[in-house]
Amino acid sequence: MRVAVVGAGVSGLAATKCCMDEGLEPTCFEQSQDIGGVWRYTEHIEAGRPSLYPSVISNTSKEMSAFSDFPFPEHFPVFLPNALLLDYLRRYTEHFGLREHIRFGSTVVSIRKHPDFATTGQWNVVTEAGGKQTSHVFDAVMVCSGNFSEPSLPLQGFPGIERFRGQYFHSRQYKHPDVFQGKHVLVVGMGNSGVDIAVEASRVAAKVMISTTRGAWLLSRVFEHGYPWDMILNTRLMSLIKTNLPGPLSWWLLNYKVNQWFNHENYGLQPENSWQVREPVLNDDLPSYILTGRITIKPGVKEFKDNSVVFHNCPEEEPIDIVVFCTGYTVSFPFLEESIVRVENKHASLYKYVFPPQLQKPTLAVLGLIKPLGAIMPVAEMQARWVSRVFKGLCHLPPQAVMEKEVNEKKKNQIQWFGLTFDEVLKTEWLVYLDTLASFIGAKPSVLGLLCTDPRLALTIFFGPCSPYQYRLGGPGRWQGARQAILTQWDRVLKPTRTRVPARSSSSFLSLLTVVGFLLLLAAVIFGFL
C-alpha cells in the first residue's frame, strides 16, 4: 500500500516511520531541502514554511517530548534549544532509515480523489520539483503540513491601525531583538510567542507593553522542587483528578496551583474567566520582568493613533513605535479541495482531530492539527500509529453519522470550556487523548494488570509522569526497552543538571537517615503509649 506523506516535520517523520512499521510504502514530500519543519531555524522567512526565532526553547521536557521508542540522549538538557531538538529529529531519521523515503524540494500542489475513489480510496497527488510537475497515484495520504505557516492578522479588529505611522508586523516575521533597540514596543496577544518576544524586546527597548484581553495563567518550566512542569502535572493521578472532579472544582485546584508561584491578579495576568480551562503560557522570566518594570501588562487595544495607542478602560494614550501582533495562525490546506477537509471559523472538522468524517473511504488523515496541554511529538506519533493501522484495515472507524456527531459535540464542549479563541477546538486533555488513541490500537497500558505482575512499574506509571514509553509496553510496536526507559526517566532528567555533587551530600545516606529517623520516631511513639 503506497502512502503519500506531506511534510517532513515532527508529524511527517513519525508518519513515515509508523507506515514502515506496518509494512506500508511511504513517500514523504518535503518542499524544503531538509527535515525539521517548525524546529529548523532559517535566518530568512520561507513562503509556506514555519518561521522560528533563534532563541526558541521547547516548552515541554525531553522525557515527555520523546518519540515512544527513541529517548533523547541523557546528556541533552531537560528543555531543548531548537538546534538540539532538530539534532534529535536528525538522529531519529537516521536511526530508523527514514531519509530514503523523503523527497526533498518537492512541493505538493494538489491532492484530489481518484476517479474510482468510491471503490479504491485512491488519491491523485500532483507534486512540483525544479519547476516540473509530476502526477502520482497513492492508496492513502497523511497530511503533516502543520498549522504555523499562514499567519492570522485580523487588522480589522484594531481601529485606527491604518493611520498608525509606526511599524507593525506579525510574530512570524520576528527573528532578533535588535529591531526594538530604544523603541516603545507593544506586543498584542499573550501566547507563548508573545511573551517570549516581549521578554527579549525588554532587554533592549525603552518600554515594552503586552496587551491582553483575557489574561492567562503562567507556568514556569521549573516546577515543584525544581522538576519539569509537565513531569509533575501530566501524571495519571493528576489526570484522574482533573477528569473526575466536577469541572469548577478541578479547575479551582489548578488555579490554586498556578497561583502558588505568584498571585496572577497582582501582576495583571488573572484570566477574566478563571474557572474556564485556559492554555497556560510557559515562561520563566515574565513575573520578574513585570516586577522590575521592564514589561507592563495592559488590557485590550481600543484604538491606534498616529504614534500612540489607547487601551480599554485607560484614558491616557501610550506612545509606541512598533507593534508585534502575536495573533496566531490560520488553518489552511491549499492543496486540498474544501470539501475534503472542512474548515469553518478557522477550524478543521476532523474525527479525533485526524479523519474527515464524510469521506467514503478513510484513506486521508491530518496529523498534528491539535494543541494538547502537553508535548506534541508523542501525540503526532500516536496519531500516526493509529492512522497507519486504519489504512492497513486493522483498525476501523465508526459510521459517518457517529463521527460527525462527535465532531459537532466536541466543538460545543470545547467552546464552553475554553471560551472563544482562535483555536478553541484544537485543545484537549493530553493524557486522555493519548489513552483514547492507544486503546484503539491495543497499546494502552493496564495499570491494574501490571500491579499484579510488575508492581514497581505499575506504581511508577500511575504516580509518575506519563512518559511516552508507556505506550510501547505492549500491543503492536512493542519495544523491549520501554520498561527500562520508564524506570530510568528521572536519571536522564538529573544527568545534565546534577553536574556538581557536594562531597557531604549523599542521597542514599540521606534516604537511610530518613528511614532510620522514621523508625526511631515510630518506636518513640509506641513506647510512649506503653
Side-chain angles (χ1 to χ4, degrees), residues 46 52 169 204 230 347 431 464:
E46 300 176 17
L52 192 72
F169 55 87
V204 298
D230 51 354
H347 310 298
L431 199 154

Side-chain angles (χ1 to χ4, degrees), residues 171-226:
S171 58
R172 183 174 185 269
Q173 296 177 262
Y174 172 74
K175 292 294 181 180
H176 303 284
D178 306 5
V179 67
F180 304 125
Q181 185 74 45
K183 304 290 187 179
H184 288 72
V185 180
L186 171 64
V187 176
V188 177
M190 200 172 169
N192 289 308
S193 295
V195 174
D196 283 352
I197 293 171
V199 165
E200 288 197 3
S202 70
R203 294 169 185 151
V204 298
K207 183 175 183 178
V208 175
M209 297 175 288
I210 298 177
S211 169
T212 173
T213 302
R214 297 168 293 130
W217 294 124
L218 194 70
L219 287 179
S220 171
R221 293 179 178 87
V222 185
F223 212 61
E224 292 177 352
H225 307 293

Side-chain angles (χ1 to χ4, degrees), residues 279-452:
E279 180 184 16
V281 173
L282 268 292
N283 193 276
D284 307 308
D285 301 315
L286 183 60
S288 64
Y289 279 44
I290 294 173
L291 208 58
T292 55
R294 290 186 175 186
I295 295 176
T296 305
I297 305 299
K298 292 288 187 177
V301 171
K302 184 178 181 181
E303 66 172 320
F304 287 99
K305 298 195 174 182
D306 290 355
N307 300 295
S308 62
V309 63
V310 179
F311 299 101
H312 287 289
N313 303 317
C314 297
E316 68 274 9
E317 296 181 20
E318 293 279 359
I320 51 169
D321 304 302
I322 300 178
V323 182
V324 185
F325 287 99
C326 301
T327 44
Y329 292 82
T330 299
V331 176
S332 174
F333 304 101
F335 45 81
L336 286 176
E337 291 180 310
E338 291 184 8
S339 60
I340 303 299
V341 177
R342 297 170 183 167
V343 179
E344 305 169 24
N345 299 322
K346 300 187 177 71
H347 310 298
S349 298
L350 300 167
Y351 175 66
K352 301 299 182 189
Y353 308 98
V354 174
F355 284 102
Q358 78 282 1
L359 290 181
Q360 296 162 289
K361 297 283 186 179
T363 55
L364 183 140
V366 179
L367 273 63
L369 192 63
I370 185 173
K371 290 195 174 183
L373 303 182
I376 185 61
M377 289 165 67
V379 172
E381 182 195 33
M382 185 60 73
Q383 289 177 331
R385 292 174 69 184
W386 176 44
V387 168
S388 58
R389 291 182 69 78
V390 170
F391 286 172
K392 198 174 180 181
L394 299 175
C395 293
H396 302 280
L397 301 183
Q400 177 180 336
V402 174
M403 291 191 288
E404 289 185 338
K405 181 181 178 183
E406 179 175 316
V407 168
N408 293 329
E409 288 180 351
K410 181 76 71 175
K411 284 184 183 179
K412 294 176 184 177
N413 290 337
Q414 295 285 26
I415 290 173
Q416 175 187 348
W417 282 103
F418 286 102
L420 294 173
T421 69
F422 285 113
D423 45 18
E424 68 261 15
V425 297
L426 297 181
K427 297 174 186 170
T428 190
E429 169 59 36
W430 185 76
L431 199 154
V432 172
Y433 183 73
L434 280 172
D435 272 357
T436 299
L437 299 195
S439 65
F440 291 163
I441 65 172
K444 179 183 176 182
S446 171
V447 177
L448 289 178
L450 286 171
L451 198 58
C452 301

Side-chain angles (χ1 to χ4, degrees), residues 85-298:
L85 211 151
L86 179 61
D87 181 40
Y88 170 78
L89 295 178
R90 294 195 196 286
R91 292 169 184 245
Y92 181 78
T93 300
E94 299 307 319
H95 182 79
F96 291 108
L98 307 183
R99 191 170 290 272
E100 63 189 76
H101 295 275
I102 304 174
R103 296 188 185 179
F104 294 106
S106 296
T107 301
V108 174
V109 176
S110 72
I111 299 175
R112 300 291 184 266
K113 290 180 180 177
H114 195 271
D116 59 359
F117 177 83
T119 54
T120 65
Q122 291 181 325
W123 298 87
N124 289 332
V125 179
V126 177
T127 61
E128 183 174 318
K132 179 184 178 182
Q133 291 194 353
T134 307
S135 184
H136 320 259
V137 176
F138 284 95
D139 300 303
V141 175
M142 290 186 182
V143 178
C144 307
S145 53
N147 62 327
F148 295 106
S149 299
E150 188 173 329
S152 173
L153 192 57
L155 295 180
Q156 69 278 5
F158 297 93
I161 189 65
E162 69 282 351
R163 69 171 187 248
F164 177 59
R165 294 181 181 177
Q167 179 184 3
Y168 67 85
F169 55 87
H170 190 273
S171 58
R172 183 174 185 269
Q173 296 177 262
Y174 172 74
K175 292 294 181 180
H176 303 284
D178 306 5
V179 67
F180 304 125
Q181 185 74 45
K183 304 290 187 179
H184 288 72
V185 180
L186 171 64
V187 176
V188 177
M190 200 172 169
N192 289 308
S193 295
V195 174
D196 283 352
I197 293 171
V199 165
E200 288 197 3
S202 70
R203 294 169 185 151
V204 298
K207 183 175 183 178
V208 175
M209 297 175 288
I210 298 177
S211 169
T212 173
T213 302
R214 297 168 293 130
W217 294 124
L218 194 70
L219 287 179
S220 171
R221 293 179 178 87
V222 185
F223 212 61
E224 292 177 352
H225 307 293
Y227 293 121
W229 73 272
D230 51 354
M231 296 186 76
I232 300 298
L233 289 182
N234 281 341
T235 69
R236 293 190 175 277
L237 176 61
M238 287 294 292
S239 181
L240 191 67
I241 293 172
K242 283 189 288 185
T243 55
N244 286 279
L245 283 178
L249 179 57
S250 64
W251 294 113
W252 175 87
L253 289 174
L254 176 63
N255 296 349
Y256 171 77
K257 201 82 171 175
V258 296
N259 272 316
Q260 283 185 310
W261 182 20
F262 67 94
N263 188 313
H264 283 60
E265 187 173 356
N266 292 344
Y267 285 66
L269 297 172
Q270 180 88 8
E272 284 195 353
N273 296 314
S274 59
W275 60 271
Q276 290 185 330
V277 180
R278 294 295 311 280
E279 180 184 16
V281 173
L282 268 292
N283 193 276
D284 307 308
D285 301 315
L286 183 60
S288 64
Y289 279 44
I290 294 173
L291 208 58
T292 55
R294 290 186 175 186
I295 295 176
T296 305
I297 305 299
K298 292 288 187 177

